[in-house]
């Protein structure tokens, strides 16, 4: 089978590896606009569920990824001036560049052709292929070309965020919140190597403007953020990829869904097909799980159209839960002022439960009382029923709004 794939991110590279592992005769060519070894972002988190999938599909890649990963333990919420609250848990972090490097080497070893510095801006650039995979991220060129056919919907998030890093190694997954004269600002941080941590800063657009982050250059913005988060940074700097006189790359998260994932012989993979808010740390895992499903489906079905249809229905179903949880998690962070007056343990409990629809529907202190009472079996049953009823109502509302 001949495959042309746009994008050598985690989705495109892992898909190419699996296609070669399923059948060494498959011809896979990847087109990547960036030079080899460059990428956006810093470290990403993942958990044992991805490790299990990687081990089942390519133990060599799984081992290489685990060898380069950092294991963080515990989750911490620290509100400036308060006592940090701890919530347990463990997971992994890996540098995005290291992950791509592992995947790139493995793909090359298996005979995948990767054309770096080759941006696809017109379909005629692509060779004849049985399948064309759009693994070119949230701004996917091929998807935009057929937006109507894919039934693309993009809803921008309200908050501003910027993906930064720091040499302060956060051994625990840490959320740090700071009240300012312009409103709350907070970070999500976790170690991804022995020397670096991801440091994502988020705030409302009002706070962003109120603090001048919309106009300050990168250097001054970084120094301002360092002073706001000085308690947690312990004297370490915050760093950005770009040059210091430009502005920091603040964005609004794009919530993306597609009613259809294939059109003709073009199929969407990873962020080109769907996004999930970064606060649930799942986009890379979901992109790699898409790759597994598409490789399996193409391997098992002789007919390409049948393979693409089977892949689409399997993955659309699998995405329902993470997309719902991601929307709720993003909304929780958009409503931080509602929760920020809680004490450490209360705030932590509601942060942990942010994927439940009940959190936003009950007064925060009442929700906390319910959270504590969930130890009682009857309360647990009532809680689940109420959450399910709210879920159904909201599903109905979405269907009415977007028939
Ligand atoms: C702030 C932030 C934090 C995140 N943290 C996590 C986390 O902790 N854990 C996690 O699992 N996920 C996380 N994610 C999500 C994760 O980064 C994405 O879901 C993941 O990168 C998707 O992989 P992909 O291969 O589909 O797309 P991408 O990684 O975006 O790769 C697409 C590739 O296509 C290339 N490309 C684009 N257009 C063209 C073109 N026209 N021609 C040629 N090449 C092209 C791009 O250069 C890129 O290399 C985070 C996202 C954000 C924004």
């Amino acid at each position: 089978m001949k495959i042309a794939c746009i994008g050598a991110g985690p989705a495109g590279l892992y898909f190419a590896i699996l296609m070669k592992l399923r059948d060494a005769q498959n011809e896979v060519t990847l087109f990547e606009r960036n030079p080899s070894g460059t990428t956006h972002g810093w470290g990403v988190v993942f958990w044992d569920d991805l490790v299990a999938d990687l081990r089942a599909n390519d133990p060599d890649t799984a081992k290489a990824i685990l060898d380069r990963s950092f294991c963080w333990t515990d989750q911490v919420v620290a509100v400036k001036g308060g006592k940090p609250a701890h919530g347990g848990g463990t997971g992994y972090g890996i540098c995005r560049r290291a992950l791509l490097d592992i995947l790139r080497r493995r793909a090359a070893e298996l005979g995948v052709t990767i054309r770096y510095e080759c941006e696809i801006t017109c379909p005629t650039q692509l060779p004849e292929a049985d399948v064309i995979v759009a693994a070119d991220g949230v701004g996917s060129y091929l998807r935009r070309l057929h937006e109507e056919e894919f039934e693309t919907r993009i809803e921008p998030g309200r908050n501003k965020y910027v993906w930064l890093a720091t040499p302060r190694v956060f051994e625990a997954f840490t959320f740090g919140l700071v009240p300012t004269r312009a409103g709350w600002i907070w970070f999500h941080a976790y170690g991804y190597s022995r020397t670096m941590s991801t440091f994502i800063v988020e705030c409302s657009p009002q706070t962003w403007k109120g603090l001048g982050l919309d106009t300050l250059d990168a250097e001054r913005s970084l120094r301002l953020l360092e002073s706001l988060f000085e308690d947690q940074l312990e004297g370490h700097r915050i760093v950005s990829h770009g040059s210091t006189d430009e502005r920091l790359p603040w964005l609004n998260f794009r919530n993306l869904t597609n009613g259809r994932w294939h059109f003709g012989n073009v199929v969407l993979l990873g962020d080109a097909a769907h996004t999930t808010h970064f606060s649930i740390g799942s986009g890379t895992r979901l992109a790699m799980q898409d790759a597994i499903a598409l490789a399996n489906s193409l391997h098992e079905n002789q007919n390409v159209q049948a393979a693409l249809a089977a892949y689409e229905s399997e993955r659309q179903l699998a995405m329902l839960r993470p997309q719902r949880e991601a929307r709720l998690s993003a909304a929780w962070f958009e409503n931080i002022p509602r929760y920020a007056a809680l004490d450490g343990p209360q705030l932590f409990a509601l942060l942990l439960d942010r994927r439940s629809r009940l959190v936003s529907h009950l007064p925060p202190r009442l929700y906390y009382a319910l959270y504590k009472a969930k130890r009682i079996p009857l309360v647990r049953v009532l809680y689940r029923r109420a959450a399910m009823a709210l879920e159904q109502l909201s599903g109905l509302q979405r269907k009415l709004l977007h028939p």
Side-chain angles (χ1 to χ4, degrees), residues 134 136-140 143-144 147 150-157 252-261 268-277 290 319 322-324 326-327 398:
D136 46 350
V138 60
S140 170
R143 190 199 63 232
R144 280 184 286 120
E147 219 160 57
F150 287 124
E151 298 165 23
T152 303
R153 191 178 314 140
I154 300 180
E155 295 168 39
N252 290 72
F253 191 82
R254 283 176 281 176
N255 296 295
L256 168 86
T257 54
N258 287 279
R260 299 202 57 203
W261 289 22
L268 305 178
L269 193 74
D271 270 17
H274 50 75
T275 59
T276 46
H277 191 255
D290 282 356
M319 283 305 298
Q323 280 189 318
R324 185 187 73 227
R327 272 196 302 273
R398 286 180 76 81

Side-chain angles (χ1 to χ4, degrees), residues 3 8 21 31 35 70 83 108 123 139 162 175 182 204 231 240 255 334 341 344 351 397 399:
I3 293 161
L21 284 173
F31 299 87
F70 176 87
K83 211 170 139 225
V162 62
F175 299 95
S204 72
D231 291 0
S240 161
N255 296 295
E334 288 178 350
L351 176 75
Q397 195 182 18
K399 268 194 194 136

Side-chain angles (χ1 to χ4, degrees), residues 7 10-11 32-34 44-45 96 120 136 163 190 271 281-284:
E32 168 58 51
R33 66 181 169 195
N34 286 334
V44 292
V45 285
R96 215 182 116 87
I120 301 299
D136 46 350
W163 194 349
Y190 46 86
D271 270 17
S282 297
T284 307

